[in-house]
């Protein structure tokens, strides 16, 4: 840092001359003093271990009667001298929870059943737990919560590039919905999607799960070169694996090493080799000038 701000080499100087910004001598001295006093270099925040914060103690609030999350909310409200909103009445609570867990308003029958259990218009804790369990058993629970996963793995039932022809991939969507409704373990959910077809004697469900590998956009443009698009699809799988499973953007290192990330360009293409045996046409249609011998017909 000090070398870059003190250099007379315009190629290395920070801030760069073209930015029209300069550090004053006082600012440079502040940085020099900061380092001299023991400033520690920290790695990128995204790659440091998570530290669990201490639950704040809030006057008049009993943590054992609620969730630790409420303690953080109460502490933030107390800082601003704001009182919590009153507890919602039974009808409001039933509606909120139903929309949250199923994406649908409660049926009139369900709403009335829980209103009848209310005391002073409030829903007793045991009734609320029963309501949550009932909504978790609804097939609409999986439909609601599958949405975010389908977004993460860029699900679409059309091909996406150039045209918008249909892609018969709806069984994969149903697999994800059923996985949520069955509370499938995440490690199994992962294994089946990335490599279900490589399991010994894979089931029909596991083969469908592997449809994840075919969710990329495809082209059927007349001038498309099949091998170019096979490479595009392979890179797309790496990027999606990074964002959906690793929680890390890998787009930068597709083209170059990044000064902040521990992931290198070598890492990107090493990982892409994992998907190199996915035999997918480079183009959506079989054109005579881009034949693929392995997928003839």
């Amino acid at each position: 840092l000090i070398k870059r701000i003190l250099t007379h080499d315009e190629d290395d100087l920070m801030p760069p001359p073209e930015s029209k910004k300069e550090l004053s001598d006082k600012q440079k001295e502040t940085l020099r003093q900061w380092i001299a006093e023991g400033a520690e270099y920290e790695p990128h925040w995204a790659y440091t271990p998570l530290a669990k914060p201490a639950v704040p103690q809030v006057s008049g609030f009993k943590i054992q009667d609620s969730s630790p999350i409420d303690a953080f909310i109460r502490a933030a409200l107390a800082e601003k001298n704001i009182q919590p909103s009153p507890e919602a009445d039974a009808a409001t609570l039933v509606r909120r929870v139903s929309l949250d867990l199923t994406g649908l308003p409660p049926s009139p029958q369900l709403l009335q059943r829980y209103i009848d259990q209310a005391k002073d218009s409030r829903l007793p804790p045991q009734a609320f737990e029963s309501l949550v369990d009932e909504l978790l058993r609804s097939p609409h629970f999986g439909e609601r919560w599958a949405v975010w996963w389908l977004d993460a793995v860029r699900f679409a039932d059309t091909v996406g590039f150039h045209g918008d022809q249909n892609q018969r991939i709806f069984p994969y969507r149903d697999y994800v919905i059923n996985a949520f409704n069955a509370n499938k373990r995440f490690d199994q959910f992962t294994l089946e999607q990335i490599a279900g077809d490589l399991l010994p004697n894979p089931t029909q469900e596991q083969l469908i799960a592997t449809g994840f590998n075919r969710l990329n956009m495809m082209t059927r443009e007349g001038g498309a070169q099949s091998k170019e698009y096979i490479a595009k699809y392979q890179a797309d799988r790496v990027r999606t694996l990074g964002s959906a499973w690793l929680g890390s953007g890998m787009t930068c290192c597709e083209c170059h090493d990044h000064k902040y990330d521990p992931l290198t360009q070598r890492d990107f293409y090493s990982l892409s080799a994992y998907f190199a045996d996915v035999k997918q046409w480079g183009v959506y249609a079989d054109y005579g000038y881009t034949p693929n011998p392995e997928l003839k017909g």
Side-chain angles (χ1 to χ4, degrees):
L1 173 67
I2 294 299
K3 181 179 178 181
R4 295 294 291 271
I5 67 174
L6 297 181
T7 183
H8 297 291
D9 185 340
E10 291 191 352
D11 288 337
D12 290 340
L13 181 64
M14 292 297 287
E18 61 266 25
S19 71
K20 308 299 182 186
K21 297 178 180 179
E22 295 182 2
L23 294 178
S24 68
D25 290 341
K26 183 179 180 180
Q27 289 172 324
K28 294 176 183 178
E29 181 55 35
T30 298
L31 291 170
R32 189 201 296 271
Q33 181 182 352
W34 172 58
I35 293 172
E37 291 177 355
E40 294 184 14
Y41 178 80
E42 295 181 356
H44 194 290
W45 61 266
Y47 299 102
T48 56
L50 294 174
K52 192 172 184 177
V55 177
Q57 300 296 314
V58 183
S59 177
F61 176 72
K62 296 181 179 179
I63 188 64
Q64 63 268 26
D65 296 336
S66 190
S67 163
I69 296 173
D70 292 332
F72 288 93
I73 296 172
R74 290 293 188 102
L77 292 176
E79 285 181 4
K80 302 179 185 300
N81 200 26
I82 299 174
Q83 292 298 315
S85 298
E87 183 180 338
D89 60 48
T92 301
L93 195 59
V94 172
R95 177 178 172 82
R96 285 178 183 169
V97 176
S98 180
L99 286 169
D100 187 40
L101 292 182
T102 70
L104 299 168
S107 67
Q109 295 80 6
L110 182 141
L111 180 60
Q112 190 60 53
R113 178 150 43 91
Y114 282 97
I115 287 178
D116 290 344
Q117 298 181 46
K119 297 177 181 178
D120 299 325
S121 82
R122 301 289 187 266
L123 203 60
Q126 63 273 21
F128 180 73
E129 290 182 13
S130 175
L131 168 64
V132 169
D133 288 341
E134 183 171 353
L135 293 171
L136 290 175
R137 289 192 296 269
S138 167
H140 301 305
F141 168 77
E143 295 166 357
R144 162 72 164 161
W145 287 88
V147 169
W148 288 280
W149 184 257
L150 294 173
D151 281 348
V153 296
R154 73 293 188 236
F155 172 84
D157 51 13
T158 56
V159 299
F161 267 133
H162 187 255
D164 212 19
Q165 297 79 17
N166 290 334
Q167 179 177 220
R168 307 300 182 191
I169 196 67
F170 64 87
Y172 173 83
R173 175 204 63 201
D174 294 345
Y175 163 83
V176 175
I177 292 172
N178 292 336
F180 273 87
N181 281 330
N183 199 24
K184 186 185 289 282
R185 285 170 51 118
F186 187 67
D187 56 354
Q188 187 70 18
F189 187 62
T190 297
L191 177 65
E192 291 175 349
Q193 289 179 80
I194 297 178
D197 58 323
L198 302 180
L199 294 171
N201 303 312
T203 65
Q204 186 73 25
E205 180 189 37
Q206 289 167 338
L207 291 173
I208 289 171
T210 318
F212 157 74
N213 293 290
R214 298 296 298 270
L215 291 176
N216 49 281
M217 296 194 300
M218 288 184 287
T219 184
R220 65 179 301 172
E221 183 183 0
Q225 298 299 310
S226 61
K227 289 185 179 179
E228 174 191 2
Y229 277 88
I230 287 173
K232 286 179 184 287
Y233 304 157
Q234 192 167 320
D236 181 75
R237 293 184 184 102
V238 175
R239 293 193 299 270
T240 306
L241 181 70
S243 59
W245 271 278
L246 305 181
S248 178
M250 298 189 67
T251 305
C252 292
C253 61
E254 180 178 356
C255 300
H256 56 80
D257 292 356
H258 196 288
K259 59 186 177 182
Y260 296 121
D261 291 352
L263 299 168
T264 66
Q265 192 175 17
R266 177 179 291 275
D267 294 326
F268 186 94
Y269 290 98
S270 297
L271 185 55
S272 76
Y274 180 83
F275 296 105
D277 64 340
V278 178
K279 304 299 183 184
Q280 181 180 19
W281 272 358
V283 294
Y284 185 75
D286 184 20
Y287 297 116
Y289 56 84
T290 54
N292 190 325
E294 294 179 337
L295 295 172
K296 187 67 178 174

